[in-house]
């Protein structure tokens, strides 16, 4: 019997009692072009530690669960990305030279037949333990990279360098001036203000109306590729104070339909969250899962955390999920297939669907908003090849493209929207993905307001950063995309405040016993039309989105959309105040485990396929 067969049989003795079964398992792993040890750990759910310990015993070598903390020393690798592929570290002490290695199958075969001098025998560890040690030793370099890589690539367009006090206060002053002129136009009755009012009020409405008439792209229902054709896929899940969500997260990740030996799922946890770290470590038996501990360093933001983990990813592609996310099992292989079929594709945004929209009116309005955004507006923007404000989760990237950009902006509190603009500036292809991720909306006003304030503050940051050098923006994006960016982002910022302002002005005039803007009735009628157009287009996009999501039960609640816009207006004002006082403060949204409605995935997928003119799957 060959060494290869005996090694496999030693590692998986209970699964391969004879040489023939060991050979079959070995042949299967080689046909899939994966390391046989990794295949055993993932497919048989043995865990990487058990596999490596048995391999070490077969080769006559020692095994260690971890590399001792006493051996840690600060290092600055030339290429942080090399950490993910490093197999060996050599540590010199006064007593001896320590060699720790995480070998693959062929390496173990070679190690068994090598002659080692006394005190130089290698100690086998798991890949996760080796990477964890290297990450701890490189923590300063990883932190610096997480904060500065984007700044080095975009010195003229990053939140860290651009959002000075002068820039922030200047933007707020201009915003107040713009909104004041628009609201005061009926009183001033100046014709030159009319174009300004039209640009601010009509632009976003026209985008929504155009999106309503933009059909979804027709595409054939994809077939799952064979395991051998799927590449390694990394998953980043940033967590802070989320120990309650860990069981649900592990269950959701375990349901992903993807070859387990090609999955690289990393829970990215800040060391300021010891409870979350402990909850994750309890479940790290599965070879697909590992933990990245992000050292305590400002800014305390999600983009800083995932930037920290990015160099440690082994995959060709990477996706970000949030603590409450439950992705469709098919999402990763669908994304991998699209990337393989479209080599120029840099990013794919899956649809985010609110699973608890039935809970109360606030969650229902949030669900309607998401349905319109991810089911109508984003597909239209992708179809028009305009900048796409990505969602904060379920955005899939080609890692080479992500590294070319410089990763996420660690100081932008709406990093998803910002990176969508950077992809547009480099004219990289972005599209939507026909797969869903379910998550929960805030059901209480205070958490909703905190989250929406952060989002609006991030939009303001994004607008300032990318407009610092407008000529460069137009040259990089092209005038058409740049105009779309200005209208979309400025509309998102100004529309809620203007709506709130209209209500205040109308109430003030009513208290005076006069019709609104009595001095210029024509302006009042014009603004009333603008308001109706804005609300009507938003309502229509929401209804179409809910129809595509097969959620007719949430339609009637959308009549409260004016109330929702008032709340967004209040959040936007709070965002402007925070931008001045706490520009990089990250409001942490609280999450709680939730149950999914019965069979929502099949219903929604069926209607989505009908929209594409396809027959639903049985």
């Amino acid at each position: 019997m060959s060494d290869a067969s005996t090694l496999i049989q030693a590692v998986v003795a209970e699964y391969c009692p004879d040489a023939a079964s060991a050979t079959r398992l070995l042949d299967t792993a080689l046909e899939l072009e994966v390391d046989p040890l990794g295949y055993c750990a993932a497919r048989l759910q043995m865990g990487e530690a058990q596999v490596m310990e048995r391999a070490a015993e077969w080769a006559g070598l020692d095994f260690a669960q971890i590399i001792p903390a006493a051996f840690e020393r600060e290092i600055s690798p030339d290429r942080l990305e090399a950490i993910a592929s490093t197999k060996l570290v050599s540590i010199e002490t006064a007593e001896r030279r320590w060699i720790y290695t995480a070998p693959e199958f062929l390496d173990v075969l070679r190690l068994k037949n090598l002659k080692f001098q006394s005190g130089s025998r290698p100690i086998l560890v798991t890949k996760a333990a080796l990477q964890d040690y290297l990450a701890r030793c490189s923590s300063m370099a990883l932190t610096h990279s997480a904060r500065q890589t984007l700044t080095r690539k975009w010195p003229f367009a990053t939140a860290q360098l651009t959002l000075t006090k002068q820039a922030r206060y200047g933007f707020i002053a201009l915003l107040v001036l713009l909104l004041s002129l628009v609201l005061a136009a009926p009183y001033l009755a100046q014709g030159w203000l009319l174009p300004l009012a039209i640009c601010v009020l009509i632009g976003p409405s026209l985008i929504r109306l155009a999106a309503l008439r933009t059909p979804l792209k027709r595409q054939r229902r994809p077939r799952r590729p064979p395991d051998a054709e799927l590449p390694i896929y990394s998953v980043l899940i940033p967590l802070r104070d989320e120990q309650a969500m860990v069981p649900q997260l592990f269950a959701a990740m375990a349901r992903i339909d993807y070859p387990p030996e090609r999955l690289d799922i990393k829970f990215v946890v800040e060391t300021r969250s010891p409870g979350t770290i402990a909850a994750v470590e309890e479940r790290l038996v599965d070879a697909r899962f590992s933990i990245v501990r992000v050292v305590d360093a400002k800014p305390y933001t999600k983009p800083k955390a995932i930037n920290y983990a990015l160099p440690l990813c082994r995959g060709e592609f990477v996706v970000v999920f949030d603590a409450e996310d439950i992705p469709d099992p098919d999402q990763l292989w669908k994304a991998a297939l699209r990337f393989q079929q479209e080599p120029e594709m840099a990013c794919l945004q899956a649809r985010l669907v609110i699973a608890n929209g039935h809970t109360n009116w606030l969650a229902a309005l949030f669900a309607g908003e998401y349905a319109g955004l991810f089911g109508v507006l984003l597909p239209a923007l992708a179809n028009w090849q305009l900048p796409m404000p990505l969602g904060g989760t379920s955005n899939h990237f080609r890692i080479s493209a992500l590294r070319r950009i410089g990763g996420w902006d660690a100081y932008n509190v709406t990093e998803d929207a910002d990176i969508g603009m950077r992809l547009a500036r480099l004219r990289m292809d972005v599209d939507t993905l026909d797969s869903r991720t379910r998550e929960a909306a805030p059901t209480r006003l205070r958490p909703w307001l905190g989250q929406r304030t952060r989002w609006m503050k991030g939009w303001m940051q994004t607008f300032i950063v990318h407009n610092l050098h407008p000529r460069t923006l137009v040259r990089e994006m092209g005038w058409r995309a740049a105009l779309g960016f200005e209208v979309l982002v400025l509309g998102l910022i100004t529309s809620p405040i203007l709506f709130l302002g209209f209500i205040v002005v109308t109430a003030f005039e009513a208290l005076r016993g006069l019709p609104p803007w009595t001095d210029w009735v024509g302006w009042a009628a014009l603004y009333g039309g603008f308001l109706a157009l804005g609300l009507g287009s938003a309502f229509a996009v929401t209804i179409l989105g809910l129809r595509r999501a097969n959620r007719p039960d949430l339609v009637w609640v959308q009549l409260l959309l004016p109330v929702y816009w008032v709340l967004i207006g209040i959040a936007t004002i709070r965002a402007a105040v925070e931008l001045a006082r706490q520009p990089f403060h990250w409001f942490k949204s609280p999450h709680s485990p939730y149950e999914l409605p019965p069979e929502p995935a099949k219903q929604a997928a069926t209607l989505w396929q009908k929209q594409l003119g396809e027959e639903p799957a049985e």
Side-chain angles (χ1 to χ4, degrees), residues 135-197:
R136 296 199 310 267
C137 293
S138 307
S139 60
M140 292 299 293
L142 287 168
T143 301
H144 182 75
S145 173
R147 295 189 292 206
Q148 302 297 334
T149 297
L150 188 90
T151 303
R152 290 194 295 269
K153 291 181 179 290
W154 302 78
F156 55 88
T158 55
Q160 183 183 15
L161 298 181
T162 303
L163 293 178
T164 61
K165 180 178 287 188
Q166 292 82 357
R168 301 195 315 270
Y169 280 78
F171 168 79
I172 293 170
L174 289 174
L175 182 64
V176 171
L177 177 62
L178 172 66
L179 297 174
S180 299
L181 286 174
V182 172
L183 289 172
Y187 294 105
L188 299 176
Q190 296 294 318
W192 65 270
L193 290 175
L194 182 58
L196 178 67

Side-chain angles (χ1 to χ4, degrees), residues 18-91:
D18 53 53
S21 57
T23 302
R24 285 195 299 272
L25 190 149
L26 179 61
D27 289 343
T28 301
L30 295 177
E31 287 173 4
L32 293 173
E33 298 181 359
V34 296
D35 176 51
L37 295 183
Y39 179 82
C40 295
R43 289 282 177 157
L44 304 180
Q45 298 185 347
M46 297 178 60
E48 195 182 0
Q50 185 180 30
V51 167
M52 195 59 68
E53 185 174 13
R54 292 182 178 184
E57 183 179 358
W58 176 86
L61 300 171
D62 293 328
F63 168 77
Q65 291 279 357
I66 61 170
I67 300 178
F71 289 159
E72 290 181 23
R73 76 251 193 239
E74 186 177 332
I75 60 176
S76 298
D78 293 333
R79 289 181 58 254
L80 288 172
E81 292 81 6
I83 293 176
S85 57
T86 299
K87 295 183 183 180
L88 180 146
V89 294
S90 177
I91 305 167

Side-chain angles (χ1 to χ4, degrees), residues 296-501:
D296 188 351
K298 292 182 179 180
Y300 300 121
T301 62
K302 170 185 168 182
K304 193 282 299 277
I306 51 183
N307 274 343
Y308 188 98
L310 183 60
L312 308 179
C313 292
R314 296 187 294 111
E316 184 178 346
F317 311 115
V318 63
V319 61
V320 179
F321 290 130
D322 280 347
E324 77 276 26
D325 286 355
I326 302 179
D328 282 348
D330 63 4
Q331 190 168 127
L332 265 60
W333 70 255
K334 279 188 173 180
L337 184 61
R338 284 283 304 278
F339 281 126
Q340 290 173 336
Q341 293 173 341
E342 303 174 50
E344 299 302 315
M345 186 64 65
C347 176
L348 292 166
Q349 173 67 65
R351 282 176 287 135
L352 302 186
V353 177
I354 299 303
N356 66 334
H358 59 282
T359 306
N360 61 19
W361 66 272
L362 185 61
L365 288 168
F366 197 106
E369 180 185 20
Y370 262 39
L373 176 63
F374 291 96
V376 181
L377 185 59
L378 290 189
L381 292 175
N383 194 38
W384 302 332
Q385 296 183 322
L386 291 180
M388 275 180 57
L390 300 175
T393 174
S394 303
N395 30 40
H396 299 250
F397 296 94
R398 194 181 298 272
I399 277 194
S400 59
L402 191 54
R403 287 173 175 160
R404 180 185 166 194
I405 290 173
W408 295 269
D409 190 337
Y411 290 84
N412 190 306
V413 298
T414 311
E415 81 294 337
D416 43 4
D418 175 78
I419 204 168
M421 301 309 119
R422 295 182 192 278
L423 289 165
R425 293 186 75 150
L426 293 178
R427 305 205 183 194
M428 293 184 174
D429 292 346
V430 182
D431 204 351
T432 53
L433 179 68
D434 183 16
S435 184
R436 304 174 317 135
T437 295
R438 288 158 288 175
E439 56 181 31
T443 56
R444 293 180 294 114
L445 189 56
R446 185 181 294 274
W448 180 93
L449 193 59
Q451 183 188 67
R452 188 55 56 114
T453 298
R454 172 169 61 81
W455 288 359
M456 299 308 296
K457 181 172 67 174
W459 277 110
M460 294 176 186
Q461 290 178 329
T462 301
F463 188 81
I464 297 170
V465 163
H466 292 283
N467 276 295
L468 182 64
H469 300 284
R471 290 185 180 178
T472 304
L473 178 71
V474 173
R475 185 177 69 250
E476 292 177 350
M477 273 192 185
W479 70 267
R480 183 171 155 275
L483 179 62
F485 164 71
E486 302 293 350
V487 171
L488 182 65
V489 178
L490 191 60
L492 282 168
I493 295 170
T494 59
S495 295
I497 304 179
L498 286 173
F499 180 73
L500 188 59

